[in-house]
Amino acid sequence: MIQSQPRPASFGLPSDTGGRDLGIFMPMANGGWILSKNAPALDGSYDYNLKAAQLAEEIGLDFIMAMAKYRGYGGETKHWNASLDSPMMMAGLAQATQRVKVWATVHTILQNPAVTAKMIATLDQISHGRAGLNLVTGSYKGEFAQMGAWPEGVDHDERYVLAAEWIQAVKALWTQDSVSMEGKYFTLDDCMSNPKPSTPPFLVCAGTSKVGIEFTAKEMDALFLSGGHVEELAKASAEAKAGAAALGSKIRTYSMMTVVFGETDAAAEETAAHFRAGFDEGALHGMMRAYGFLDSEIGKENAFTQKARSTFMTPHVLGTPETVVERLSEIFEKTSLDGLMLIFPDYHASLPVFGEKVLPVLRARFPADAVATAHG
């Protein structure tokens, strides 16, 4: 088995030296991250994403990232039924930008590691060293069973065994002339992959289980955490970093946040209420099936459905730019998070507002410097 290799400490991000990384989750599937007939009609098109990426760069965000999705949730809005290919879209956006980091998503159970090594090395050339890889260790059965690609018998924990083989093979192909390995899931025989990336691509994944955190600490550079409340995020981030430290590693921690602006806080709340009034129940049912809930459970209220009925698929903050500044500042002040990946109902309308009225304040309050390191 190929052994894990040390990861760089610096990637040209604010979190390298104590700042906070801020980027956007690209709206590369129709409907965005709001389950509502009343939400802005994001079509998930390349043209829409192109403008969003260029705005992200123009206002000074640090990264853009796109998920990989192969089956949507349906409902009246046909939520996520149309989506773009993540690495291909990010290659196009890399060509259309100059500075912002470009992170593409790949599923370990779908793509061969040698194929992925080549794809991301290509993205590195197109972006001139700005490439990153968001690794997804699992997914929802229907998404991959529809194409005959679901590995039966590979449960949650075993997927990390597969993922460890996978990412170790990718990293070896990025750094070695030839790679031979015979693992449980992957075999490489004098396998070559050229060109090599000019700089190590930034590696991220999501997961909060013990095995997921251990995998991330050993192999990755950053971990995406879930949790809507500051206390939950603080606890999850602290535990993840402590777990990494116990393994002799360091990881950055990020979370996602949807931002809804309003001229007043009440106006932003009214916008959220308008979204709730158009809640797409059918899309929620599709999401629950994708997550593995039995059909008989659909409609029963639990923490998952109660959260989803807000129509927001992620934690969210509502209010004026000044209120958003204070809410995001509170998150950074009370947690050890190194960054946030932002989502907007309408990226084209909201990004300029964020760039003018929120980002400069956050940069001033949480500056990068040459001494402190937030991810240590």
Side-chain angles (χ1 to χ4, degrees):
M1 174 58 63
I2 300 170
Q3 297 299 312
S4 301
Q5 303 171 11
R7 298 294 298 161
S10 177
F11 289 92
L13 290 165
S15 62
D16 291 344
T17 55
R20 303 299 189 272
D21 304 335
L22 291 160
I24 56 172
F25 210 2
M26 301 303 297
M28 45 75 71
N30 69 292
W33 280 265
I34 300 175
L35 299 173
S36 175
K37 300 183 289 290
N38 292 344
L42 300 187
D43 61 4
S45 67
Y46 180 76
D47 286 345
Y48 189 94
N49 280 268
L50 173 61
K51 184 174 180 179
Q54 291 174 329
L55 283 170
E57 172 150 292
E58 180 181 322
I59 70 171
L61 291 179
D62 303 304
F63 67 88
I64 57 177
M65 191 177 99
M67 67 175 178
K69 195 67 184 171
Y70 298 94
R71 188 180 183 93
Y73 299 140
E76 185 174 343
T77 60
K78 297 181 172 26
H79 194 84
W80 285 4
N81 280 19
S83 61
L84 300 178
D85 178 78
S86 183
M88 289 193 69
M89 185 184 83
M90 297 312 283
L93 298 181
Q95 180 68 37
T97 55
Q98 299 294 322
R99 183 196 55 79
V100 70
K101 309 292 184 183
V102 286
W103 301 345
T105 296
V106 172
H107 290 84
T108 57
I109 63 174
L110 185 62
Q111 290 284 13
N112 182 278
V115 174
T116 302
K118 178 76 72 177
M119 286 195 301
I120 302 303
T122 303
L123 182 60
D124 170 79
Q125 280 208 6
I126 296 170
S127 67
H128 299 285
R130 294 179 284 134
L133 172 62
N134 176 43
L135 183 153
V136 179
T137 61
S139 189
Y140 313 120
K141 184 174 181 179
E143 190 169 1
F144 290 86
Q146 67 177 354
M147 60 181 88
W150 182 254
E152 295 291 349
V154 181
D155 62 15
H156 173 274
D157 287 3
E158 187 64 17
R159 286 201 291 270
Y160 284 102
V161 175
L162 183 153
E165 282 188 16
W166 190 95
I167 193 61
Q168 288 166 12
V170 169
K171 288 190 284 189
L173 288 164
W174 282 340
T175 56
Q176 299 177 21
D177 292 336
S178 171
V179 180
S180 294
M181 62 172 280
E182 187 171 345
K184 185 175 181 180
Y185 295 101
F186 302 102
T187 298
L188 301 178
D189 181 13
D190 188 25
C191 188
M192 299 181 182
S193 182
N194 291 296
K196 310 299 185 189
S198 62
T199 186
F202 192 71
L203 303 177
V204 299
C205 71
T208 55
S209 67
K210 181 179 179 180
V211 66
I213 292 173
E214 182 175 343
F215 166 79
T216 303
K218 288 181 177 179
E219 304 292 352
M220 312 299 283
D221 302 307
L223 171 69
F224 275 104
L225 298 168
S226 60
H229 299 294
V230 171
E231 294 76 14
E232 293 174 346
L233 285 173
K235 183 174 184 292
S237 181
E239 290 179 350
K241 293 191 175 190
L247 295 168
S249 301
K250 296 179 181 180
I251 55 172
R252 293 162 165 89
T253 55
Y254 298 149
S255 190
M256 293 186 292
M257 189 64 62
T258 298
V259 175
V260 179
F261 287 124
E263 292 188 2
T264 64
D265 290 352
E269 294 284 355
E270 288 174 4
T271 298
H274 180 61
F275 293 161
R276 286 193 296 273
F279 176 62
D280 189 343
E281 187 86 32
L284 172 64
H285 291 184
M287 181 188 294
M288 292 181 73
R289 279 191 292 271
Y291 272 85
F293 286 90
L294 297 175
D295 286 357
S296 61
E297 294 179 0
I298 292 177
K300 292 183 179 180
E301 289 298 331
N302 54 33
F304 178 86
T305 54
Q306 289 170 8
K307 177 181 176 182
R309 287 185 188 285
S310 71
T311 74
F312 294 102
M313 298 170 71
T314 74
H316 56 277
V317 296
L318 315 171
T320 64
E322 293 73 21
T323 295
V324 170
V325 165
E326 296 309 317
R327 292 290 305 279
L328 298 186
S329 294
E330 180 187 17
I331 291 172
F332 286 138
E333 288 166 354
K334 294 185 177 181
T335 74
S336 58
L337 286 181
D338 297 288
L340 287 171
M341 183 164 64
L342 304 169
I343 293 165
F344 300 97
D346 184 336
Y347 288 68
H348 296 177
S350 297
L351 278 167
V353 177
F354 191 89
E356 179 184 355
K357 298 183 177 180
V358 178
L359 187 58
V361 183
L362 294 179
R363 295 295 196 207
R365 289 184 180 180
F366 306 97
D369 60 59
V371 179
T373 55
H375 61 278

